[in-house]
Amino acid sequence: MKDIQQFISEVVDDAVIEEKQKLTVTVVPAQAHPLLKALHDHKELSFDYLVALIGMDWGDKLGVIYLLSSSDNPDKEIVVITATENRDNPLLYSVTDIYETAHLNEREAYALLGIRFINNPDMRRFLLSDNWKGFPLRKDYDGSPGLNPITVVNKEITDIAPRIMEDANGNLVESTTKIFEDDDYIINIGPQHPSTHGVMHFRTALNGEVVKKIDVKSGYIHRGIEKLCESLTYPQILHFTDRLDYLSANINRHALCLCVEKAAGIEVPPRAEYIRVIMDELNRISSHLLAFAAHCNDLGATTAFIYGMREREHILDIFDKTCGGRLIINQDVIGGVMFDIYNDFRKDVKAFIPYMRDKLKEYDDFFSHNPIVLRRMIGVGNLSLADAVSYGVTGPAGRGSGWSCDVRKYKPYSLYNQIEFKEVIRTEGDSYARYMNRLEEIEISLQIIEQLIDNIPEGKILATVKPVLRLPEGQYFQSVETGKGEFGVFIESKGDKYPYRLKFRSPSLSAVSVMPLICKDELLSDFIGIGGSMDYVIPDIDR
């Protein structure tokens, strides 16, 4: 990374470069876009993957932290920070022309912090309504209920987006733009529809039965989790992670525990590490089974849905007997795990492995090669490698487009650097590639569990942790591989017992942000199947 530091100094000679947990570069707002563009276009090591865009309120400044990575070398990461002192009219330059994933992320930063982005073509608030009073993630936010009263009055939908654009002379021009054309025929898909996999709202313009344009709307269950975290201690925050992507609850919680443990210098006992990884892989299988079942159900295959839920029930029984939880598992805690494995844990897990393998063959025989399935998935919802990277689509969906992006491989955590396993990659980029990736990843998870189940060491399951945990002042990042892709945790600490800022990187936000692209010019009847193949879950977006 020494060459990158020299490159950065050549692009921005007064950039402040610091060796922190990750190489961190701080620049003034006018220099942020040129630097990010230069890093994206770097010939030898392109930082073409925007992992996270984190809006910040530092009191005297409002700004953004960009966590960048390279699609060719995901273990190489750089942090770029920029901020403005103007709290009344905070403006930063958009990076939507560099990274497609920035569109919704910048709109989220505007909704929650009031930062507007110059040259973003759509500056509507994301996650909050346009008439919301105040910006919740600001430190001076007034959360009085009377300012934003709950209403049951229907609000008319307006398809007009404000924006602030820079003209050729460098002048900033305030304007509005229409989301749809005047003669577009628009229908609402969701937010109350089972095939949107939660309260997701897609405003969809049709040309006959063909999708012309989609406008993604979220925020119907927005719970303000990141704001709540600012007033809670680190152990109190743990349960929130289970309720984001609740289908990867154990893996999400593992991420937060890892972030805190690394920052605090807590060493997790080996026995707890084994239990964590086995439970994570069972959780991944459970997530993929539900993805398979729901996707098949979206295509009309009710039997496949019942089969997938049948196998998943065996995993939930193991979870239940281990820690009393089934969906919300409540197992990982800072320093290890809350509950040790029960007496027949190894027996039950080892019995599940051949059972699940037999069922995978059954899925392949009765569904995966069905001619109707093939016509509904092959060549449908195509996502190119370049678009997967630009939109930040990771997990089985990103690997279905040929992107090698498994966090367990590139940024190994816990025991993953000691385990042999194959990364499942396909290059077709269609719904079928994403579907097959998940089924094959179930087999990979079974192989990982086989390597660990008979080697669980004896010993403690929980390290000694201070009753009141204070992280050293600094910025901390941690990613894990959930069932849906890269889930990230960012913590900025001021040395207190609660975080100054906590941000969750959602793989589902990237997955849903690419829906307008991969559904364009597809039949409306295929829209639901494409969504099923992306396997997003809405609470993961509505943080």
Side-chain angles (χ1 to χ4, degrees):
M1 297 288 277
K2 290 290 184 184
D3 293 338
I4 290 296
Q5 293 188 42
Q6 182 179 350
F7 175 76
I8 292 170
S9 298
E10 292 170 358
V11 176
V12 181
D13 57 4
D14 58 347
V16 178
I17 303 175
E18 300 172 276
E19 291 279 3
K20 297 183 178 180
Q21 182 192 13
K22 302 183 188 297
L23 182 67
T24 302
V25 184
T26 304
V27 295
V28 299
Q31 297 171 334
H33 186 278
L35 175 59
L36 292 167
K37 178 67 172 170
L39 288 168
H40 179 277
D41 296 342
H42 193 276
K43 293 181 180 179
E44 296 177 9
L45 185 60
S46 169
F47 287 89
D48 53 353
Y49 170 32
L50 177 57
V51 182
L53 188 157
I54 305 163
M56 294 292 302
D57 180 359
W58 284 291
D60 58 333
K61 294 181 180 180
L62 291 166
V64 171
I65 298 173
Y66 302 91
L67 175 58
L68 308 176
S69 181
S70 169
S71 62
D72 292 328
N73 298 277
D75 59 322
K76 306 293 189 220
E77 293 181 318
I78 289 180
V79 174
V80 176
I81 301 176
T82 191
T84 174
E85 295 179 359
N86 188 341
R87 294 182 67 88
D88 295 327
N89 185 28
L91 296 174
L92 297 175
Y93 280 93
S94 173
V95 295
T96 51
D97 60 322
I98 308 173
Y99 306 100
E100 290 290 348
T101 190
H103 283 275
L104 294 186
N105 279 280
E106 288 181 356
R107 287 176 57 193
E108 179 185 326
Y110 170 48
L112 301 180
L113 287 143
I115 302 169
R116 291 193 299 163
F117 293 84
I118 302 166
N119 297 326
N120 185 316
D122 181 354
M123 268 281 89
R124 292 173 296 162
R125 302 191 195 200
F126 191 65
L127 300 182
L128 293 177
S129 62
D130 288 324
N131 60 354
W132 190 270
K133 295 180 179 65
F135 303 104
L137 286 184
R138 287 198 185 187
K139 297 302 179 181
D140 56 0
Y141 173 66
D142 184 353
S144 302
L147 291 176
N148 293 287
I150 297 173
T151 178
V152 294
V153 177
N154 183 52
K155 184 176 179 289
E156 200 66 33
I157 295 173
T158 57
D159 296 314
I160 297 176
R163 59 183 179 177
I164 179 167
M165 309 298 285
E166 188 177 48
D167 64 18
N169 298 319
N171 301 313
L172 300 183
V173 180
E174 301 264 7
S175 63
T176 59
T177 183
K178 293 180 179 179
I179 303 300
F180 298 104
E181 297 176 12
D182 291 337
D183 60 348
D184 277 345
Y185 180 76
I186 303 168
I187 65 169
N188 294 296
I189 303 176
Q192 301 297 339
H193 193 286
S195 291
T196 57
H197 293 220
V199 283
M200 196 74 210
H201 184 190
F202 297 97
R203 292 274 284 164
T204 307
L206 297 177
N207 182 7
E209 295 185 27
V210 175
V211 174
K212 181 180 178 182
K213 187 175 183 178
I214 294 174
D215 181 35
V216 174
K217 291 179 177 288
S218 192
Y220 291 90
I221 59 167
H222 187 61
R223 295 160 294 168
I225 284 177
E226 291 175 6
K227 181 67 176 180
L228 289 168
C229 290
E230 295 176 5
S231 58
L232 297 173
T233 64
Y234 293 101
Q236 289 174 324
I237 292 168
L238 290 176
H239 74 283
F240 284 137
T241 56
D242 297 9
R243 291 157 174 82
L244 297 171
D245 173 10
Y246 44 82
L247 302 174
S248 294
N250 203 71
I251 312 175
N252 292 347
R253 187 183 277 229
H254 195 174
L256 180 55
C257 289
L258 282 168
C259 195
V260 173
E261 288 157 359
K262 288 184 179 181
I266 298 169
E267 186 174 348
V268 178
R271 182 175 179 85
E273 293 278 24
Y274 274 74
I275 295 171
R276 279 181 172 185
V277 174
I278 292 171
M279 293 286 278
D280 279 1
E281 292 307 317
L282 288 171
N283 202 188
R284 191 182 320 280
I285 296 171
S286 171
S287 176
H288 286 346
L289 282 172
L290 188 62
F292 159 78
H295 187 193
C296 294
N297 194 55
D298 288 342
L299 298 176
T302 308
T303 303
F305 176 82
I306 294 170
Y307 281 18
M309 297 299 286
R310 177 188 64 189
E311 274 65 83
R312 181 169 172 266
E313 199 68 16
H314 290 267
I315 297 175
L316 301 190
D317 286 343
I318 293 172
F319 289 163
D320 194 354
K321 288 190 278 186
T322 303
C323 56
R326 296 174 70 81
L327 183 67
I328 306 302
I329 300 170
N330 199 34
Q331 166 75 330
D332 286 7
V333 290
I334 296 168
V337 292
M338 190 181 301
F339 306 102
D340 205 345
I341 56 176
Y342 58 95
N343 290 337
D344 288 334
F345 178 82
R346 291 184 181 85
K347 176 184 173 184
D348 289 349
V349 172
K350 291 170 74 172
F352 173 74
I353 292 171
Y355 170 81
M356 188 66 244
R357 284 199 172 117
D358 183 61
K359 297 307 177 185
L360 286 174
K361 293 176 184 176
E362 186 176 7
Y363 299 168
D364 193 69
D365 288 340
F366 95 96
F367 191 76
S368 296
H369 304 286
N370 182 296
I372 298 174
V373 169
L374 300 181
R375 291 193 65 179
R376 295 291 303 277
M377 287 201 275
I378 292 180
V380 175
N382 292 309
L383 175 63
S384 69
L385 172 58
D387 286 329
V389 173
S390 187
Y391 281 88
V393 178
T394 55
R399 290 188 285 275
S401 297
W403 184 11
S404 178
C405 58
D406 195 322
V407 177
R408 298 172 296 175
K409 283 285 188 184
Y410 286 98
K411 294 179 281 186
Y413 53 93
S414 194
L415 301 175
Y416 286 107
N417 59 350
Q418 305 172 32
I419 301 169
E420 293 292 329
F421 65 98
K422 183 185 78 171
E423 184 179 16
V424 181
I425 300 173
R426 285 177 168 78
T427 58
E428 296 86 352
D430 56 11
S431 294
Y432 193 65
R434 297 187 282 270
Y435 164 87
M436 290 300 295
N437 267 12
R438 292 188 183 92
L439 291 182
E440 192 169 339
E441 284 193 8
I442 291 176
E443 168 58 32
I444 299 302
S445 290
L446 294 174
Q447 293 175 14
I448 291 173
I449 294 169
E450 280 183 317
Q451 295 177 56
L452 301 176
I453 193 64
D454 285 328
N455 298 306
I456 302 173
E458 296 298 326
K460 298 196 302 181
I461 61 167
L462 187 62
T464 301
V465 179
K466 294 179 181 179
V468 178
L469 192 60
R470 301 175 188 271
L471 299 190
E473 188 169 345
Q475 296 173 344
Y476 307 99
F477 301 83
Q478 178 65 48
S479 290
V480 298
E481 184 70 25
T482 72
K484 292 166 177 58
E486 182 166 2
F487 175 80
V489 176
F490 164 78
I491 296 173
E492 177 156 332
S493 171
K494 298 294 186 182
D496 297 317
K497 62 182 179 180
Y498 38 75
Y500 181 80
R501 171 79 164 101
L502 191 146
K503 167 76 173 178
F504 295 114
R505 191 271 178 191
S506 160
S508 291
L509 178 60
S510 294
V512 82
S513 72
V514 82
M515 284 290 284
L517 175 71
I518 62 177
C519 293
K520 184 175 168 39
D521 297 328
E522 298 285 4
L523 291 171
L524 177 61
S525 57
D526 286 328
F527 167 88
I528 300 301
I530 295 170
S533 76
M534 295 306 295
D535 187 31
Y536 45 75
V537 64
I538 312 308
D540 197 32
I541 301 167
D542 276 4
R543 300 170 313 289

